[in-house]
Amino acid sequence: MTQGTFDVELARKETPGCASVIHLNNAGSSLMPQPVLDAVIDHLRLESRIGGYEAAAEAADNVSGVYTSAARLLGCTPPELAVLDSATRAWDLAFYSIPFQRGDRILTSEAEYASNFIAYLQVAQRHGVQVEVVPNDESGQLSVTRLRELMDDRVRLVSLTHVPTNGGLVNPAAEVGSVTREAGVLYLLDACQSAGQMPLDVDALGCDMLSLTGRKYLRGPRGTGLLYVRADRLDELCPPMLDLHAATWVTRGGYEVRPGARRFESWECNYAAKIGLGTAIDYALGWGLTSIRDRVYHLAEELRDRLGAIRRVDVRDIGSERCGITSFTADGLSGEEIKAFMARRGINVSVSRVASTRWDMEARGLHELVRASVHYYNTIEEIDLFCQALEEVAT
């Protein structure tokens, strides 16, 4: 699908929020399409009429379908997937299931997200693990050459944020996967901000574990996430917590862990949100992830071009591949001032601060960035209105 044939009018018609705001905070939480909203509300109404357990039983096919849809999204099998209440919970469960030992090494990127890095530091303190940051290449993405040079038999994990929180950089996830496969090292990919705005195939990426959220580019409800775990890696991992869903109490003194990745789930969950996540995945698949990527990348480049023409505004995106997130600063204005000004104009943006990606931001001498993240339902006209507003406040 080319830019000229992407049915933006339909996308906006099916997105109620487009009538209320210019939403450029899709890397925070996208506007839900009507089918997702309907799926969530319909199940909540069913629960209110017949009861929560009974509604879950009646919707069993829809619930099962979430795993089938997610498997299509990622190119894996349903037993390799767990549905959780956030990408953070999914990532944490994968990371803390790795049996680290003193002397192990974790390799990660300069653009790593704060939640992940805090977990590395905790494990380092607990188990004597060494955390090392792989330098960037000249474009600003993780250097695959340096990664390869750092690999040895003490590397227990390579953990990478695919798209960082503070800009349009797309790290070379598949190239990293080639290195880890060759070395036989575990590879955990945080796809929180890439899922839904570009195609993801776990075999092509080479990752052993992958986490994602529903609320961002997938346009699902908040409080939803997915964890993928490659089937032949499951036995190397020990879930940090188990319940009667994740395991079966087979004798007074024994239990058996559930087969497949659903051992990382717990018994209680938000069924309405889970069904909504499945609907959001189906909705994205209906548009086509390649078409979505092309549309999103095109809009983001148009936005960068327009921002670059505004006096006192500097676009801060790095990397050889850049996605739908655009980051910038404006001389003499704080991120909060810009965000508040835009909010008064009915435009949503967000602010990314140094504490979220400390290694990257400090290396570039940045304290904060304004983040404007487009989706396929945004338009060039909205970008123009945003840039006109920014020019007004910045000059």
Side-chain angles (χ1 to χ4, degrees):
M1 182 179 292
T2 65
Q3 293 306 314
T5 60
F6 195 99
D7 196 343
V8 181
E9 183 178 347
L10 176 62
R12 293 178 66 81
K13 181 179 178 181
E14 294 182 339
T15 305
C18 286
S20 304
V21 296
I22 296 175
H23 191 67
L24 302 179
N25 189 20
N26 294 288
S29 184
S30 289
L31 300 176
M32 279 193 291
Q34 190 67 48
V36 174
L37 180 62
D38 291 343
V40 174
I41 292 175
D42 286 349
H43 189 79
L44 288 174
R45 285 175 173 154
L46 183 63
E47 287 186 348
S48 74
R49 289 200 306 271
I50 68 173
Y53 288 10
E54 294 75 12
E58 186 168 313
D61 288 344
N62 289 338
V63 174
S64 177
V66 177
Y67 298 89
T68 303
S69 297
R72 289 180 57 211
L73 178 74
L74 296 177
C76 63
T77 65
E80 294 176 303
L81 293 165
V83 180
L84 298 157
D85 59 9
S86 70
T88 299
R89 183 63 59 87
W91 189 96
D92 280 343
L93 287 170
F95 177 74
Y96 285 103
S97 72
I98 300 170
F100 289 106
Q101 297 180 356
R102 181 171 296 277
D104 285 346
R105 299 169 65 209
I106 298 171
L107 302 184
T108 189
S109 69
E110 290 192 24
E112 199 67 5
Y113 186 52
S115 289
N116 303 353
F117 216 102
I118 289 168
Y120 307 148
L121 295 176
Q122 185 185 51
V123 165
Q125 293 170 5
R126 283 180 177 177
H127 301 297
V129 171
Q130 185 176 350
V131 181
E132 299 177 46
V133 175
V134 180
N136 288 336
D137 66 16
E138 62 279 359
S139 77
Q141 68 181 24
L142 177 139
S143 170
V144 178
T145 299
R146 293 299 305 275
L147 172 66
R148 193 178 298 277
E149 293 170 352
L150 288 168
M151 298 294 290
D152 64 19
D153 58 6
R154 292 194 302 114
V155 176
R156 187 74 176 91
L157 173 71
V158 173
S159 184
L160 178 67
T161 295
H162 195 188
V163 172
T165 189
N166 64 335
L169 168 70
V170 181
N171 267 315
E175 290 85 347
V176 170
S178 295
V179 175
T180 58
R181 279 196 302 266
E182 182 180 317
V185 169
L186 283 171
Y187 176 23
L188 170 58
L189 185 64
D190 180 343
C192 197
Q193 303 214 131
S194 55
Q197 69 160 317
M198 63 187 70
L200 296 176
D201 183 283
V202 290
D203 284 337
L205 293 166
C207 57
D208 301 299
M209 299 164 284
L210 180 148
S211 60
L212 61 83
T213 185
R215 77 175 191 273
K216 293 178 182 279
Y217 278 93
L218 276 173
R219 306 184 64 194
R222 296 191 68 177
T224 57
L226 278 173
L227 173 62
Y228 157 79
V229 182
R230 191 175 298 277
D232 60 10
R233 289 292 205 176
L234 269 172
D235 291 342
E236 300 177 40
L237 308 174
C238 180
M241 60 190 74
L242 296 171
D243 71 354
L244 78 170
H245 173 88
T248 301
W249 193 13
V250 293
T251 67
R252 289 186 175 184
Y255 64 88
E256 292 179 356
V257 178
R258 184 183 187 127
R262 293 180 71 177
R263 65 183 64 181
F264 291 97
E265 297 179 348
S266 58
W267 182 79
E268 179 58 13
C269 70
N270 185 333
Y271 279 89
K274 190 172 186 175
I275 291 168
L277 174 63
T279 304
I281 292 171
D282 288 338
Y283 191 78
L285 291 170
W287 285 101
L289 272 299
T290 300
S291 295
I292 289 173
R293 178 199 60 201
D294 293 347
R295 169 77 181 169
V296 169
Y297 279 31
H298 168 73
L299 288 173
E301 286 302 321
E302 291 289 335
L303 175 56
R304 292 185 188 102
D305 287 346
R306 284 161 169 75
L307 289 173
I310 300 175
R311 189 167 61 88
R312 297 174 59 200
V313 171
D314 292 303
V315 176
R316 300 293 187 172
D317 294 316
I318 57 176
S320 60
E321 180 183 349
R322 299 183 300 184
C323 64
I325 305 171
T326 296
S327 60
F328 66 91
T329 55
D331 292 347
L333 290 170
S334 71
E336 281 301 324
E337 287 173 326
I338 294 173
K339 179 182 175 181
F341 180 86
M342 293 299 170
R344 291 193 293 270
R345 300 296 183 91
I347 303 171
N348 296 337
V349 296
S350 62
V351 180
S352 184
R353 297 179 177 83
V354 64
S356 293
T357 43
R358 183 168 295 278
W359 273 79
D360 173 69
M361 297 278 273
E362 288 183 346
R364 294 196 278 156
L366 297 169
H367 175 68
E368 65 176 16
L369 296 164
V370 179
R371 189 180 69 178
S373 45
V374 297
H375 215 325
Y376 57 81
Y377 53 71
N378 291 125
T379 64
I380 294 296
E381 291 75 19
E382 288 182 323
I383 288 172
D384 286 339
L385 288 170
F386 168 65
C387 290
Q388 289 167 16
L390 182 60
E391 190 166 16
E392 178 182 334
V393 71
T395 57

